[in-house]
Amino acid sequence: MTLATATELATATNEHLANISNTLIYSAMAVYMLAFFAYIAEWLFGSRSKVARTANALTERNDKSAKAKAAPAVTVKKAGGTTVLERPQVVTRSAVGARDVPDGPGAHGGDEQGDLYGRIAVSLTVLAWAVEAAGVVARATSVRRAPWGNMYEFNITFSTVAVAVYIVLLALKKNVRWIGLPLVTTVLLDLGLAVTVLYTASDQLVPALHSYWLYIHVSTAIICGAVFYVGAVGTLMYLFKDSYENKLVNGGQPGRFATSVMERLPSAASLDKFSYRVNAAVFPLWTFTIIAGAIWAGDAWGRYWGWDPKETWAFITWVAYACYLHARATAGWKGRKAAYIALIAFACFLFNYYGVNIFVSGKHSYAGV
């Protein structure tokens, strides 16, 4: 076999693997779509899982609380006098650290059929993740390098890791099935953007990227982004649930749709704690990511830090999350104020990826879209 023939064969093989990768990504999108409808069905029909029963308890407590406020104190007659017994106050929402709200998610008034749809949704999510992961591996094999050399590859790898984080939390018996619907929704949007706007044909990288730091720096950035995303979902859900609980404790009556959605989520206090723990756990890795990037910059460009737009926004993201963690640990900034900072921090991460890569030119612009 001549060298030219071997080269042509290798090129044809790589193109075939790239086509397989594209087919697998589209197939994963189809399965994710089925999972999306299954999650919708779960939220419509409810659930009788462990977390669903606690959601039922939440509604029951709210009902009892309303009756307790409307009814007079209990009076017990004794010989020689009358003793007034105060009705115990049921706390539905108060300051962080003093809440007494049963945990969710689940659906009040649901049935076992809803729980069945939930298990089907999780199974489809796992299947879609496996197909997508196979597509990422096929892409890596076609280019014979790490599958994150451009925005298309970063997107498909990022969504794969984000779903993997969700699956790992489920495997650890964490009550996080409520993440499934927003996760699958955004993964579908992410993959749709990847295969339409960001798609880039398989190609080799510029010399500056041929380094083992590509595997270290970018892989940790992907992991951090996936975990930050899960934390952002928890933070956003916390803000909605906190408003819902506030309305209940103030005697308001949320609409039927709002009630049906909010009762499927954990309590606001649990969501707040979950988001904090997730962001705090991955923050040291994000710090390492920035340090690894600086070391790689020293090897590639002869300087460790040059305030390149990508470097600048990575540092801004680090500062934003550091402010969030500090605020979350400060009594006066717990709750909603800290949650707003967390969302701003994640917005900085997104801009660092999409905004800087697409709209700003710099030393990190070599990978193309």
Side-chain angles (χ1 to χ4, degrees):
M1 180 182 296
T2 64
L3 179 61
T5 304
T7 302
E8 291 176 358
L9 180 61
T11 302
T13 301
N14 292 341
E15 291 179 355
H16 179 63
L17 288 172
N19 291 332
I20 292 177
S21 173
N22 296 339
T23 301
L24 289 171
I25 295 300
Y26 278 106
S27 300
M29 292 177 65
V31 182
Y32 277 129
M33 183 63 71
L34 294 177
F36 170 79
F37 287 120
Y39 282 117
I40 290 291
E42 180 196 13
W43 284 52
L44 288 175
F45 291 101
S47 171
R48 286 297 186 185
S49 60
K50 172 185 175 182
V51 290
R53 291 192 294 271
T54 57
N56 287 334
L58 170 62
T59 303
E60 291 174 4
R61 288 194 178 195
N62 290 340
D63 292 343
K64 291 178 181 178
S65 178
K67 292 177 181 178
K69 291 180 180 178
V74 177
T75 303
V76 179
K77 293 184 178 180
K78 288 187 177 181
T82 301
T83 301
V84 178
L85 301 180
E86 295 290 341
R87 288 182 178 273
Q89 182 181 5
V90 179
V91 180
T92 56
R93 193 274 180 199
S94 60
V96 175
R99 297 185 181 186
D100 185 21
V101 180
D103 208 1
H108 169 63
D111 53 27
E112 294 181 359
Q113 184 181 19
D115 192 61
L116 173 63
Y117 282 117
R119 293 195 300 271
I120 292 174
V122 171
S123 299
L124 289 171
T125 302
V126 174
L127 175 60
W129 171 82
V131 175
E132 184 183 11
V136 172
V137 172
R139 176 76 177 200
T141 306
S142 70
V143 294
R144 303 180 186 279
R145 57 169 171 77
W148 45 71
N150 50 59
M151 290 186 69
Y152 167 73
E153 295 172 356
F154 191 99
N155 264 42
I156 62 176
T157 306
F158 173 82
S159 59
T160 303
V161 176
V163 176
V165 171
Y166 170 61
I167 294 173
V168 168
L169 291 174
L170 288 175
L172 294 175
K173 307 298 183 183
K174 304 298 182 180
N175 292 331
V176 294
R177 205 162 75 188
W178 52 272
I179 299 178
L181 182 58
L183 174 67
V184 169
T185 303
T186 50
V187 163
L188 282 169
L189 294 174
D190 176 80
L191 292 178
L193 180 66
V195 299
T196 55
V197 179
L198 303 178
Y199 181 77
T200 304
S202 299
D203 199 1
Q204 294 304 312
L205 301 177
V206 297
L209 294 181
H210 286 288
S211 171
Y212 60 89
W213 285 107
L214 175 68
Y215 295 88
I216 299 173
H217 172 62
V218 183
S219 63
T220 54
I222 291 174
I223 294 173
C224 290
V227 178
F228 280 148
Y229 163 75
V230 172
V233 171
T235 301
L236 189 62
M237 295 300 102
Y238 158 74
L239 291 174
F240 285 117
K241 190 60 181 283
D242 185 67
S243 297
Y244 173 77
E245 292 179 8
N246 265 327
K247 192 167 186 177
L248 286 178
V249 78
N250 291 325
Q253 293 294 328
R256 177 179 295 182
F257 176 77
T259 300
S260 65
V261 172
M262 291 297 106
E263 287 184 357
R264 288 160 173 77
L265 295 175
S267 65
S270 294
L271 288 168
D272 185 42
K273 185 185 299 183
F274 169 81
S275 302
Y276 170 69
R277 288 178 174 177
V278 166
N279 288 324
V282 78
F283 182 73
L285 186 61
W286 180 246
T287 304
F288 170 78
T289 301
I290 296 177
I291 295 174
I295 296 174
W296 188 8
D299 290 342
W301 303 318
R303 53 88 174 149
Y304 293 102
W305 196 267
W307 296 106
D308 180 77
K310 178 72 69 173
E311 298 169 349
T312 301
W313 277 96
F315 178 70
I316 291 174
T317 302
W318 185 90
V319 171
Y321 273 108
C323 291
Y324 162 71
L325 295 177
H326 177 72
R328 184 58 178 70
T330 304
W333 279 81
K334 287 183 178 180
R336 299 185 69 88
K337 293 180 180 179
Y340 292 137
I341 298 177
L343 292 181
I344 291 173
F346 185 68
C348 291
F349 176 87
L350 290 179
F351 181 79
N352 185 34
Y353 174 54
Y354 288 103
V356 173
N357 282 6
I358 296 175
F359 303 111
V360 183
S361 298
K363 284 185 173 293
H364 289 77
S365 303
Y366 39 60
V369 175

